[in-house]
Amino acid sequence: MSDQQMDTVLAETRKFPPSSEFSSKAHIKSMEEYQALHKRSIEDPEGFWSEVASELHWFKEWDTVLNDSEPPFFKWFEGGKTNICYNCLDRHLDGPNRDKPAIVWEGEPGDSATLTYAELHSLVCRFANVLKSLGVGKGDRVAIYLPMVVELPAAVLACARIGAVHNVVFAGFSSESIKDRVLDSQAKLVITADAGWRRGKILALKEIVDAGVEECDCVENVLVVKRGIEEEFAFSMKEGRDHWYHELAAGQSDDCPAEELDAEDMLFLLYTSGTTGKPKGIMHTQAGYMVYTYLTAKYVFDLKPEDVYWCTADVGWITGHSYLIYGPMQNAATVVVYEGAPNWPDNGRFWEIVEKYKVSIFYTAPTAIRAFMKWGDEFPQKCDLSSLRLLGTVGEAINPEAWIWYHELIGGKRCPIVDTYWQTETGGIILSPLPGVTPTKPGSATLPFFGIDPAVLTDGGEEVRAGILSVRQPWPGMTRGIWGDQERYKDTYWCKWDGKYYFPGDGARKDEDGYIWILGRVDDVVNVSGHRIGTAELESIYVEHPSVAESAVIGVAHEIKGQGLVSFVTVRQGFEGDETLSKALNALVAQKIGKFAMPERIVFSPDLPKTRSGKIMRRLLRDIAEGRELGNVTTLADPSIVESLQDQFNKGA
Ligand code: WT7
């Protein structure tokens, strides 16, 4: 957050209580009720969570609710046998939800499909049988690189059903990213599609996968879903390795019993950026994640049988895992899945979808809201949005201006907004208003969810008004660590405060009402459009280029994206920092990560500002890039560098 944004947030005093009409129908109706339940969840977590877990299906009940004998490696529901896919599908088949739409799907070109819970169950069973026919079983890793078609949630649920570990790679990542993730997780199967649609263009996904898995000996098979595109695109099938999903599925039964899995059996891996060059495989297990996503979805989105729920996130990110698939489906919600871009064929597409399917709960990212604001009020105004009753945001702190626009233009001033704070590692929402309870303040994620005991601390562990966010107790949905690197898990999340509290990596402020305001990352991770990018990842890519000597990548305030990246690069003697090199470096980032990780700007400079001990002063680079008054520069080894940096920066502006 820039200083200016911080000032706006500090000055924000408006409060929006939920209407009594909303509260009276909500699952949780009053602050007293919330406080009493929250108190119980903190004082007696085992009692609280075992009651929640009892609402779900278990093949065998657990022996212990929480095993905290080896912190930070907490285990939940040990001894229990369950299956999250069973709880998303089979559990609903005996009652009225059987014929209720589970997925309402809309493709970018306008094709659509509806699947009831019974139909989704059949699809997932068939998919699971296909996986088995390819030799995939419990514990095997399966990489999934699919567009937002029905087969994406189906593939995820099919893995869960047989106990295979899914590793979804967002379909905007490059071949090399696929390779890194496939190799790190040693996936034996990759599921992809021949192609997908994005803003009217064909994404040749299979081709990207082919380049990615070329050197991956672990990959035995590639399963290919046919998107049904008539136009030509680059495509090939490799004899023996590649199989059409529809061909294998044709011979399969649509019955496949859900595997009886141990509570702590691994459910999925999802890679996310950290402070080093190497993304980390965040691990989640069956039961704890299941119980936590079930309850957060139920209470934060106040899910009711008649709701039509739309989370606009891609399944490739944690939001899509927890709140497009697992949370809402355990609650038997009707989930809208949209394949394409918000601005295709025009800027009104999202609102047309809300009108068409009578969406009642809408969950999106602040960056999208800011884009809508920019595109103009006429697009939402043209559509009937009266079906909406609840709005949500996720991914970054929302600026009050966007919050108010969302509240007025989309919510018609009647819909509560839940600003949900969480991360890949937390598995589910940890801070959020409850829509029938919490008076909201634009820009604040407000209060902790049940079982979450947050504190704002100094480095030394003292409680302060503004400092570093911590969580003082384990909760069921928390990550079980980093795949293949539990030392890194301890170092990253449990290094502060003697390993006693979880450290999410965000700065925070607690106000007089106890509301928490997230102030942004305190590590070298930048939140671009709600997606985490490690500055070290880009820096290590740049120095692979023969003409680059050194680089420092920083995050700067960005009107739409929240934060954008600016890369400061110094070139080796004899090389030129020019347009050509700039393009080459951008191409390198697109090749190694994906286009979405390209910086706003590359600034070439003869040197970088460093302290006498050689540490790059990033704060100073941020000040330069955001055009701020520069503070004391006398600690610099070479203070004269500041002027030349400013010149370089202004030249390209
Ligand atoms: C980081 C996690 C959670 C799913 C999407 C991103 C930031 C997320 C909020 C919010 C302020 C937020 C944090 C967090 N963040 N939601 N409501 N208010 N900041 O998941 O890629 O794991 O990123 O996103 O910085 O640490 P992720």
Side-chain angles (χ1 to χ4, degrees), residues 420-484:
T420 62
Y421 167 84
W422 57 296
Q423 19 174 235
T424 306
E425 296 86 339
T426 67
I429 294 161
I430 62 168
L431 302 176
S432 171
L434 290 185
V437 172
T438 321
T440 49
K441 301 185 189 183
S444 172
T446 74
L447 300 171
F449 190 72
F450 303 123
I452 302 297
D453 182 17
V456 178
L457 303 176
T458 61
D459 276 319
E462 267 156 73
E463 277 211 55
V464 275
R465 269 291 154 92
I468 304 160
L469 184 66
S470 73
V471 187
R472 293 186 284 205
Q473 266 189 18
W475 65 98
M478 72 195 303
T479 176
R480 299 303 189 260
I482 298 174
W483 172 257

Side-chain angles (χ1 to χ4, degrees), residues 272 317-319 393-398 419-425 445 504-506 518 520-521 527 530-532:
T272 188
W317 310 107
I318 189 69
T319 308
T393 70
V394 60
E396 58 176 302
I398 182 166
D419 174 347
T420 62
Y421 167 84
W422 57 296
Q423 19 174 235
T424 306
E425 296 86 339
D506 286 293
I518 302 296
R521 303 288 308 187
N527 192 322
H531 301 306
R532 261 197 257 176

Side-chain angles (χ1 to χ4, degrees), residues 524-599:
D524 291 324
V525 170
V526 181
N527 192 322
V528 180
S529 302
H531 301 306
R532 261 197 257 176
I533 297 175
T535 55
E537 264 177 89
L538 261 69
E539 288 161 7
S540 64
I541 290 171
Y542 291 144
V543 294
E544 280 179 37
H545 195 278
S547 53
V548 172
E550 195 179 25
S551 81
V553 178
I554 54 155
V556 296
H558 185 282
E559 200 194 339
I560 303 290
K561 300 179 180 175
Q563 278 189 297
L565 299 163
V566 173
S567 306
F568 288 87
V569 174
T570 63
V571 293
R572 287 181 194 280
Q573 202 96 61
F575 290 94
E576 195 72 45
D578 56 12
E579 187 76 24
T580 317
L581 180 56
S582 221
K583 280 198 181 132
L585 294 180
N586 278 336
L588 207 53
V589 168
Q591 179 203 329
K592 299 265 176 191
I593 307 180
K595 279 197 183 135
F596 66 91
M598 285 190 329

